Amino acid sequence: MAAAALAALTASQAPGAAEHPAGRADRSPAPPADTPIDGGSSFFTDAPPRKTPTPPHSSGHPGGTGTPVHGPSQAGIPATVLAAYKKAESELRASDPGCRLPWQLLAGIGEVESGHARGGAVDAAGTTLRPILGPQLNGNGFALIPDTDHGRYDGDTTHDRAVGPMQFIPSTWSQGGPGGTGWGADGNGDGVKDPNNVFDATLAAGRYLCANGRDLSVQADLDRAVLGYNDSREYLQLVLSWYGFYQKGTFEVPDGKGSLPVHRGGGTAHTGGGTAKGDRGGAKDAPTAPGGTAGRTKPDGSAVPGGPSAPHGSTGPTHGDGTGTPTPAPKPTPDPKPTPKPTPTPTKPAPLTALEAVGDADGKALTATAGTDFATAPRIRAKDADGKPVAGARIRFTLTGTTGTRFPGGATEVTVTTDKDGLATAPTLHAGDTAGPFTVRATAVDRTVRPVDLAGTVTAKPAPKADALARTSDEALTTTAGGAYADDAVRIKATYRGKVAAGAAVTATLITDDPKKPVENDRGPYFKDPKATGADKDKPVRALTGLTTDADGLLTLPKIYTDTHAGTFRLRLTTADGAVLIVTLTVTAPAAAS
């Protein structure tokens, strides 16, 4: 009962835990609800070197043997794998800037999970030269996950196996993500989502790490994301130590010449689909170690070859090449001393002491017309006490004002990290519908620094133009003194250069019938002020402003009344663009009493 409750709670909180739409045809079985990201299995425990990263002569020198170097892992990362990590970071920076995913974190996980795809054993497109597969998840020492992909990804039609450089199980790749759509991604733009491709797999892993609105610059969010891969404190510390190591510097080595880790440990096998822990949510899986044999369990229930917890007599591919040929698992060479738990390298807080506004390179002001995007983005530079730029500082941009101006997604607040030049550039602003001023305030996060206010302006949209007015009917307008014309007696259409003029402003004035002095009349036909109330609501008004045409360029004037004066009168309609229309109004005397 406790295991079931834990599984239900874990599933309810995991990203991508939403069910598939009801009635979906030929729905494949999903992994057990308690399966974490890589199954909680063992992993490569090689700690990063203590010395400053330097290129090893045996692996990175051009013209070498092309054979991966076995032994202590170095800072060299195979060229295509390194490009995949950086490309995933770039794409996530654009699609989810609030996550702040660093590529070095992906590299840390890729090192611990698969030794950077077996030391960069990938082709030019980033696809592994041989499948990297975990053991069969048949419940025999590992989670029980019956086949979900008909062998499409892992070549196994009876049970699932972990697949690829970042070790996804097929069900996680194809259906375990948000809304049941799967975490699979197309990172190299070839139109295919392939877990065996390092570009696809690293982008998918990055999206998982960023799930649930995580901000990976916040330590708690970073810890939760990594523990989602393997719910082990040793695993967390190891990944963070590699993450810190790669932040100090890395170098590129040719594909296939990367160093391979050699030590395994840190996990426990789960039996019969047991109750693995984890911040699941469409998890990935344990890979077969580069060149290793099946045996260890990974955070999503899969096993990693050669692990200390590998059950005797387990079946399935044992050297991770997808051939399925049984091979006895090699006995791991014991370390003379236990591997110490690595400690993440502490990050010094940025010595930020001041913020300053940075003008646009084109000299454009922070101004835009209502309803349009701003051509200039708010920009701030962070500086230290010596006036030098500060990289890595978090800057919060906040909007105030009544114009309705917003950041993407309707946000009024965003947080941006400064680049190597100390610059923090906010996302593109969209001007609201109300003209007027607004303010963008830039504040340093977790620092006591004077904020900077940037002034912005939203200008009104240009008034629609109308250069011609015409009545929609040529019927004569006649009524009796003391009466009124029909409700829709005067209806006009406005155009501009022959096209409908929607929203054009029109002024209506009842004028004297004197061609030499056509001024506003003081007798005859009149309007009633639509804004007046009480005793003034029937007071005669002979000029109306603020009338506008509708979407079809049409305007029906308010009802026109008459006083006791009979005769011929004029109604003049004008626009700001010079269009004039004169309408004749006839008022007859009432019939004489008999």
Side-chain angles (χ1 to χ4, degrees):
M1 292 176 62
L6 174 61
L9 175 62
T10 305
S12 69
Q13 294 176 340
E19 295 182 356
H20 293 287
R24 178 173 175 177
D26 190 26
R27 190 169 121 192
S28 298
D34 58 355
T35 304
I37 282 289
D38 79 352
S41 62
S42 61
F43 42 84
F44 286 113
T45 59
D46 299 62
R50 295 180 180 276
K51 297 180 179 179
T52 302
T54 55
H57 296 294
S58 57
S59 65
H61 191 277
T65 64
T67 302
V69 176
H70 294 265
S73 299
Q74 302 293 327
I77 299 178
T80 300
V81 181
L82 179 60
Y85 295 147
K86 292 183 176 181
K87 189 172 188 295
E89 178 200 57
S90 177
E91 292 197 21
L92 267 298
R93 186 190 304 123
S95 63
D96 190 359
C99 173
R100 283 173 273 276
L101 170 72
W103 69 262
Q104 292 91 340
L105 178 60
L106 291 171
I109 292 175
E111 162 68 21
V112 173
E113 291 291 338
S114 69
H116 300 313
R118 291 199 189 104
V122 297
D123 62 19
T127 301
T128 56
L129 300 178
R130 291 186 301 150
I132 301 178
L133 298 174
Q136 192 178 62
L137 301 179
N138 56 11
N140 183 19
F142 312 110
L144 174 60
I145 304 180
D147 176 56
T148 64
D149 68 332
H150 308 294
R152 175 184 178 186
Y153 297 118
D154 57 10
D156 193 324
T157 57
T158 60
H159 294 83
D160 272 354
R161 299 172 185 267
V163 179
M166 302 303 276
Q167 290 292 278
F168 280 85
I169 53 174
S171 52
T172 292
W173 184 264
S174 60
Q175 63 181 254
T181 57
W183 289 103
D186 178 15
N188 62 355
D190 63 357
V192 178
K193 298 178 181 179
D194 182 6
N196 297 292
N197 183 277
V198 70
F199 289 97
D200 295 356
T202 52
L203 178 58
R207 288 178 177 173
Y208 172 80
L209 294 170
C210 290
N212 287 342
R214 294 187 186 113
D215 178 353
L216 299 183
S217 67
V218 176
Q219 191 64 45
D221 282 0
L222 177 63
D223 290 353
R224 277 192 290 269
V226 176
L227 288 172
Y229 239 103
N230 188 313
D231 191 15
S232 158
R233 282 288 159 183
E234 181 184 3
Y235 180 90
L236 172 63
Q237 295 297 317
L238 186 59
V239 168
L240 292 182
S241 69
W242 277 105
Y243 168 38
F245 179 71
Y246 289 138
Q247 284 184 310
K248 295 178 182 178
T250 60
F251 54 88
E252 178 184 300
V253 299
D255 290 342
K257 296 183 180 180
S259 300
L260 294 182
V262 295
H263 300 108
R264 288 191 174 282
T268 31
H270 303 286
T271 61
T275 56
K277 299 177 291 179
D279 160 1
R280 318 160 10 313
K284 355 192 137 27
D285 249 57
T288 299
T293 60
R296 72 179 181 87
T297 315
K298 295 211 66 157
D300 80 348
S302 58
V304 174
S309 60
H312 294 292
S314 62
T315 60
T318 55
H319 39 55
D321 61 2
T323 63
T325 304
T327 304
K331 294 181 180 180
T333 302
D335 291 329
K337 295 181 181 179
T339 303
K341 292 185 179 181
T343 303
T345 303
T347 302
K348 292 184 179 180
L352 175 62
T353 60
L355 300 176
E356 69 175 7
V358 178
D360 185 81
D362 298 328
K364 298 177 181 177
L366 199 60
T367 303
T369 302
T372 66
D373 288 342
F374 282 77
T376 301
R379 202 158 50 150
I380 289 296
R381 175 175 280 111
K383 302 189 300 183
D384 61 15
D386 296 326
K388 297 180 179 179
V390 175
R394 297 177 63 204
I395 307 299
R396 180 179 295 116
F397 292 93
T398 306
L399 294 169
T400 59
T402 59
T403 64
T405 297
R406 295 291 184 267
F407 291 114
T412 58
E413 181 178 289
V414 295
T415 301
V416 177
T417 302
T418 57
D419 61 16
K420 62 182 179 61
D421 298 317
L423 294 175
T425 303
T428 300
L429 284 167
H430 183 78
D433 294 329
T434 304
F438 67 94
T439 301
V440 183
R441 168 160 288 195
T443 309
V445 178
D446 302 327
R447 297 286 189 278
T448 304
V449 177
R450 183 187 296 276
V452 172
D453 288 341
L454 306 176
T457 304
V458 176
T459 59
K461 294 180 181 179
K465 295 183 177 183
D467 58 9
L469 297 172
R471 284 187 63 196
T472 59
S473 169
D474 57 2
E475 182 180 353
L477 300 175
T478 303
T479 191
T480 304
Y485 295 91
D487 290 347
D488 58 352
V490 182
R491 194 168 192 239
I492 63 171
K493 182 174 184 179
T495 56
Y496 181 70
R497 295 181 179 177
K499 296 183 179 180
V500 168
V506 177
T507 298
T509 308
L510 290 157
I511 59 175
T512 58
D513 185 20
D514 183 351
K516 294 182 180 180
K517 193 177 182 181
V519 297
E520 182 179 323
N521 214 336
D522 60 359
R523 64 182 65 191
Y526 63 91
F527 301 107
K528 291 182 180 180
D529 188 350
K531 299 179 182 179
T533 58
D536 292 335
K537 67 179 182 179
D538 292 329
K539 182 178 179 180
V541 174
R542 292 187 168 85
L544 292 178
T545 59
L547 304 173
T548 57
T549 59
D550 62 16
D552 297 319
L554 299 174
L555 169 64
T556 300
L557 266 63
K559 190 171 184 177
I560 302 174
Y561 301 87
T562 66
D563 57 16
T564 59
H565 296 86
T568 300
F569 301 90
R570 300 283 186 263
L571 169 63
R572 182 177 63 195
L573 303 165
T574 61
T575 70
D577 299 297
V580 178
L581 174 65
I582 303 295
V583 179
T584 300
L585 302 175
T586 302
V587 180
T588 61
S594 57

